[in-house]
Amino acid sequence: MKIKANSPASGKDGLDKQNTNKKSEQLDVYRSDATEQALTTNQGVKISDNQNSLKAGVRGATLIEDFILREKITHFDHERIPERIVHARGVGAHGYFEAYPGNEKLTKASFLTNTDVQTPVFVRFSTVQGPRGSADTVRDIRGFATKFYTEEGNFDLVANDAPVFFIQDGIKFPDFVHAVKPEPQTEIPTGATAHDTFWDFVSLVPESAHAVMWAMSDRGIPRNLRAIQGFGVHTFRFINAENKAVFVKFHWTPKQGLAQLVWDEAQKLAGKDPDFHRRDLYEAIASGNYPEWELGVQVVPEEDEMKYDFDLLDPTKIIPEELVPVTPIGRMVLNRNVDYFFGETEQVAFCPGHIVPGLDFTNDPLLQARLFSYTDTQLSRLGGPNFHQIPINKPVCPFHNNQRDGLHQRIVHTGQASYEPNSIDNNWPAETPPAAQGGGFESYQERIDGHKIRQRSESFGDHFSQARLFYRSQAPHEQKHIVDAYVFELSKVERKYIREREVLEVLCNIDLDLAQQVADQLGIEIPAEKKAATLPDVQISPRLSFEAFKPEDIKARKIALLVHDKANEATIKAVQAWAESEGAVVDVLTPKPGPVLGLQGDVIPSDGMQKAEPSIAYDAVVIADGDNYDVVMKDGVATHYLLEAYKHLKPIVFLGDKGKLIEHLRLVSDEGTLASGQFEAVQDSFKTLILNHRVWAREAIAEAIPA
Ligand code: HDE
């Protein structure tokens, strides 16, 4: 299925719709606000001519009195607002959250305890480094920010798809961001960490080791945004009706399972479809394949605060799930695309400081700085302190106070008293005491005792054990990808001393085998004393691997069905019927955008052209049988399609005599190359392969296939 960019609404002009496919009706989006309405100026004056400016004679100069032209151009000149300093590239969707029963023992927050309500949510996914127009599939951490419009006020869970961050103290954030962003003298590279300043910084700041490891792993290149986890990163607090607090770490777990790109594919997609992730999310929701996540928390009782060999306040550390399992507390479904990207996705303003009664912060020094930063940044991005009045940011519950005026004030406040206490309005709006449930917000009364001091706690001091834990917990193919990623990135670093510092001062402290593999490829010598070091062992955490997060079904997985003239119509119908029953998406891809003629003479409509819808955009490929082997063999686009899908470790079904292509293309048959006379005979194996996502065992062989 394709939601074609910039397609005009079809079907209104009487054009031939023979080859418009089943999804084309989604292109017909009418403007509910303007249907049957006159075109007017912003002052409501009807416009009679929107084609010509007002001129002194038909060939004369344009007159400054043309208020219609001036208004239109002035508004246009101011269409852009500053993009986010980080996380500028994003995509949003609406949905709902439902709490599971039994959370009262943890928190009094009504959206987590009232199982009768569906709390509306808005989620914005993002990349960190690139600007608004950058590609989706770059290697980066993904933002996963959720606004819960609860009946007690808005709660923003401003999360990432990695559970750890690159720095421990907010005072380092501008340094980190300056280092990772495009370099100041060239504004290169866009959307990439593979450059000197990033590696200079992280090799000098060992607390970044763990987060860098996540970014270099397959987590840095998700297949789509429906297949990522989300993590609150910091430790937060839950507070229940008895005022008892516990520490919590938030986890979003996708029902779709986790899935990654392979690096070659990620790079190609960045060019061939820079919108790959936002398109995928849009299409999945538009077609009713609503992505779903379970919200869970790791709960640590207050008395266990000091129990671990890491500090709960250190945002570069996880709590391994083997130590504290994740308790599910609810589920979120994204079921509605935005109507207006700018008005919703661009103007949404998240802030970790938006919390509701039943939740509270901890002293994590990164979180503390974030509490200031997000509101501050909206003042310049959204032009003043009234950004909460923009529809996407507005609470759904009533909100009243004595704040007045400011840029873009939209509320017509009435009454005389905008202060408190007042007797003129009987002191309304009034405070609500912090009763157990439904009361006003009250900060948790944490005891503070200490010196005013600029110093990092010693308990934040171990920067390598958890990076080692992460690396060693990966499956062998995942470890190989980490090695490849470090080699690729460091190969782009021009300064040899930065490469060496990263290998010798960081990787050697994480895992010697990892360091050696990277060093060998970069031609770096590891000194004998470093090689002889014994690094402390770690307990493996299987929950850190993709392997622990398999999907339950193949809904919304995309299958390319390659079809040429004289293809067997029966096969095409069989693949389509099977895919529909599984909720998967099949696109019939033809050599040209027009339809092809089947073996029986049927017209087979095209969902797209093979050249324009590359294999990298699909999860699996089927090549149809028919009376056309010689044509396919000589078709460079189709054969490259198969080679590329093979190289990217995708399952491929070769139907009928297309099985001969395996030998012709010099592929090595494996569990992922299914050759059969009948699709029905292999459909179950095909499904299992798609569930497994890639044929990892093929990786060594696939490296010999030209990229
Ligand atoms: Fe952010 N971050 N951040 N961040 N962050 C922003 O806020 C900041 C951090 C995250 O889709 C900015 O509105 C500081 C951790 C997401 O709109 C800014 C520090 C985590 C998004 C900002 C951090 C995040 C942002 C840019 C360290 C994971 C996108 C525009 C003290 C838990 C939200 C904006 C969206 C955005 C500051 C660290 C996640 C500049 C100072 C840790 C998902 O205010």
Side-chain angles (χ1 to χ4, degrees):
M1 172 173 64
K2 298 272 128 357
I3 307 297
K4 298 274 196 287
N6 305 323
S7 296
S10 61
K12 281 174 283 196
D13 45 14
L15 291 179
D16 177 16
K17 295 209 287 180
Q18 191 199 7
N19 193 41
T20 53
N21 56 38
K22 53 192 180 285
K23 299 102 188 178
S24 66
E25 65 270 17
Q26 288 170 2
L27 301 175
D28 290 329
V29 179
Y30 293 96
R31 293 180 55 185
S32 55
D33 64 328
T35 306
E36 294 178 19
Q37 299 294 317
L39 179 74
T40 70
T41 67
N42 287 334
Q43 303 305 317
V45 175
K46 287 183 187 153
I47 295 172
S48 61
D49 184 344
N50 192 33
Q51 319 306 322
N52 301 292
S53 55
L54 187 67
K55 293 188 276 298
V58 283
R59 298 184 60 249
T62 302
L63 300 178
I64 203 160
E65 89 172 51
D66 188 351
F67 65 95
I68 296 177
L69 169 75
R70 281 203 329 269
E71 182 197 83
K72 189 171 174 181
I73 298 286
T74 306
H75 195 278
F76 168 77
D77 290 345
H78 298 271
E79 276 181 2
R80 294 289 167 270
I81 60 170
E83 65 174 34
R84 290 166 175 80
I85 297 165
V86 282
H87 297 266
R89 171 80 180 171
V91 56
H94 296 269
Y96 62 86
F97 174 82
E98 286 171 341
Y100 295 156
N103 297 331
E104 316 62 48
K105 57 184 183 302
L106 295 173
T107 174
K108 62 180 180 183
S110 80
F111 81 103
L112 290 171
T113 50
N114 185 349
T115 50
D116 295 333
V117 296
Q118 275 195 344
T119 300
V121 296
F122 183 76
V123 174
R124 183 175 178 274
F125 299 103
S126 50
T127 53
V128 181
Q129 201 262 17
R132 263 192 74 179
S134 56
D136 281 345
T137 59
V138 296
R139 179 177 295 286
D140 202 349
I141 299 297
R142 299 302 183 284
F144 186 154
T146 307
K147 195 178 280 294
F148 297 77
Y149 303 88
T150 91
E151 52 195 23
E152 295 178 302
N154 286 353
F155 164 52
D156 293 352
L157 180 51
V158 196
N160 275 349
D161 76 337
V164 286
F165 202 67
F166 298 85
I167 46 167
Q168 292 173 323
D169 190 313
I171 201 165
K172 297 307 296 166
F173 192 65
D175 296 301
F176 167 69
V177 173
H178 288 173
V180 69
K181 278 278 179 177
E183 299 195 359
Q185 77 288 15
T186 52
E187 216 182 52
I188 294 176
T190 298
T193 47
H195 59 111
D196 281 42
T197 55
F198 174 75
W199 288 99
D200 189 24
F201 180 84
V202 296
S203 62
L204 288 168
V205 179
E207 72 205 49
S208 65
H210 190 191
V212 172
M213 185 69 84
W214 278 76
M216 293 304 116
S217 78
D218 288 351
R219 304 281 182 154
I221 43 170
R223 174 78 189 153
N224 56 56
L225 298 167
R226 297 174 293 111
I228 61 173
Q229 280 179 288
F231 302 94
V233 173
H234 318 282
T235 302
F236 289 84
R237 276 193 173 87
F238 269 173
I239 296 137
N240 69 12
E242 278 82 51
N243 228 12
K244 173 120 185 70
V246 286
F247 294 110
V248 289
K249 282 211 180 253
F250 289 105
H251 290 241
W252 286 116
T253 306
K255 201 173 161 222
Q256 299 73 233
L258 293 185
Q260 67 276 66
L261 295 167
V262 296
W263 182 228
D264 181 58
E265 190 183 33
Q267 290 179 289
K268 287 177 172 165
L269 275 168
K272 292 197 176 186
D273 188 1
D275 306 306
F276 185 65
H277 283 165
R278 53 168 70 169
R279 190 189 307 283
D280 171 88
L281 186 68
Y282 186 97
E283 288 184 351
I285 294 174
S287 64
N289 271 319
Y290 303 140
E292 184 174 332
W293 283 261
E294 187 164 70
L295 182 64
V297 278
Q298 288 177 291
V299 180
V300 177
E302 281 211 304
E303 50 278 20
D304 287 354
E305 181 177 359
M306 300 301 176
K307 179 174 154 184
Y308 303 102
D309 56 5
F310 52 87
D311 197 322
L312 288 182
L313 302 185
D314 176 356
T316 68
K317 303 295 184 300
I318 58 163
I319 311 177
E321 287 186 42
E322 290 69 24
L323 294 184
V324 180
V326 176
T327 307
I329 58 171
R331 67 190 269 270
M332 173 174 78
V333 176
L334 297 183
N335 62 358
R336 182 160 65 87
N337 281 313
V338 302
D339 291 315
Y340 180 31
F341 187 93
F342 180 86
E344 301 173 80
T345 311
E346 192 56 17
Q347 292 203 108
V348 66
F350 293 98
C351 175
H354 295 164
I355 56 167
V356 291
L359 274 78
D360 210 343
F361 316 116
T362 60
N363 294 335
D364 174 339
L366 199 65
L367 174 58
Q368 294 286 321
R370 292 182 75 200
L371 296 179
F372 165 72
S373 174
Y374 288 66
T375 312
D376 183 47
T377 205
Q378 309 311 341
L379 299 181
S380 43
R381 258 181 45 72
L382 299 172
N386 289 316
F387 59 86
H388 61 283
Q389 294 178 15
I390 297 172
I392 193 70
N393 295 323
K394 238 163 116 172
V396 295
C397 62
F399 58 100
H400 304 285
N401 54 46
N402 295 314
Q403 295 167 27
R404 290 291 181 273
D405 309 346
L407 284 170
H408 314 305
Q409 176 62 259
R410 277 146 227 241
I411 301 174
V412 178
H413 292 286
T414 53
Q416 205 174 346
S418 53
Y419 53 87
E420 194 272 348
N422 74 71
S423 59
I424 293 179
D425 274 350
N426 272 339
N427 209 27
W428 294 112
E431 295 166 344
T432 310
Q437 197 86 39
F441 183 85
E442 185 190 31
S443 289
Y444 180 68
Q445 295 194 4
E446 182 181 2
R447 192 185 148 78
I448 307 276
D449 185 13
H451 296 281
K452 204 197 271 182
I453 191 168
R454 285 188 192 273
Q455 194 181 307
R456 203 71 62 90
S457 168
E458 270 179 27
S459 54
F460 281 37
D462 172 8
H463 304 315
F464 299 116
S465 300
Q466 288 211 349
R468 184 176 315 126
L469 167 73
F470 181 75
Y471 179 69
R472 294 196 184 164
S473 302
Q474 302 299 297
H477 64 267
E478 292 171 313
Q479 288 186 338
K480 179 186 177 305
H481 301 161
I482 292 175
V483 172
D484 291 349
Y486 275 100
V487 171
F488 179 92
E489 297 259 324
L490 292 172
S491 79
K492 298 265 188 189
V493 172
E494 288 170 11
R495 291 170 178 81
K496 201 168 161 242
Y497 60 85
I498 297 179
R499 294 181 182 192
E500 283 177 353
R501 193 194 301 132
E502 178 63 23
V503 173
L504 303 180
E505 305 303 327
V506 181
L507 297 187
C508 280
N509 286 318
I510 296 176
D511 184 278
L512 285 166
D513 187 45
L514 163 69
Q516 191 65 62
Q517 291 186 61
V518 176
D520 285 349
Q521 295 192 58
L522 292 170
I524 292 172
E525 193 58 44
I526 300 183
E529 72 275 10
K530 283 208 184 276
K531 282 188 191 165
T534 349
L535 301 174
D537 220 350
V538 286
Q539 197 83 36
I540 299 306
S541 172
R543 298 284 296 172
L544 293 174
S545 165
F546 274 67
E547 299 298 297
F549 298 91
K550 295 279 184 204
E552 290 166 15
D553 53 49
I554 60 166
K555 284 189 182 142
R557 295 287 172 121
K558 289 184 68 179
I559 299 157
L561 176 54
L562 304 188
V563 169
H564 291 71
D565 275 327
K566 294 200 184 162
N568 182 356
E569 294 93 336
T571 302
I572 294 155
K573 286 191 188 121
V575 178
Q576 286 173 327
W578 169 81
E580 197 178 335
S581 70
E582 297 288 347
V585 178
V586 174
D587 283 346
V588 172
L589 302 182
T590 48
K592 294 184 190 137
V596 294
L597 277 184
L599 204 53
Q600 314 298 328
D602 290 0
V603 174
I604 305 173
S606 168
D607 291 316
M609 164 165 85
Q610 289 164 18
K611 219 183 244 175
E613 315 302 336
S615 80
I616 48 180
Y618 292 88
D619 297 297
V621 180
V622 179
I623 178 140
D625 54 340
D627 185 12
N628 50 19
Y629 183 79
D630 290 343
V631 176
V632 173
M633 213 178 64
K634 289 185 196 136
D635 178 347
V637 174
T639 50
H640 176 258
Y641 212 99
L642 297 167
L643 280 170
E644 195 177 47
Y646 183 87
K647 182 174 178 65
H648 294 152
L649 318 175
K650 290 175 183 167
I652 309 173
V653 179
F654 300 85
L655 290 171
D657 58 1
K658 301 300 176 332
K660 289 190 288 180
L661 285 168
I662 297 180
E663 205 185 323
H664 174 74
L665 298 174
R666 290 195 271 165
L667 306 179
V668 178
S669 286
D670 59 28
E671 53 165 323
T673 53
L674 302 173
S676 170
Q678 292 273 314
F679 180 70
E680 289 82 350
V682 290
Q683 65 187 37
D684 291 346
S685 319
F686 193 40
K687 179 175 173 182
T688 308
L689 287 163
I690 298 175
L691 279 170
N692 289 338
H693 185 48
R694 310 257 175 191
V695 185
W696 297 116
R698 187 192 290 163
E699 211 165 6
I701 295 162
E703 283 190 351
I705 306 273

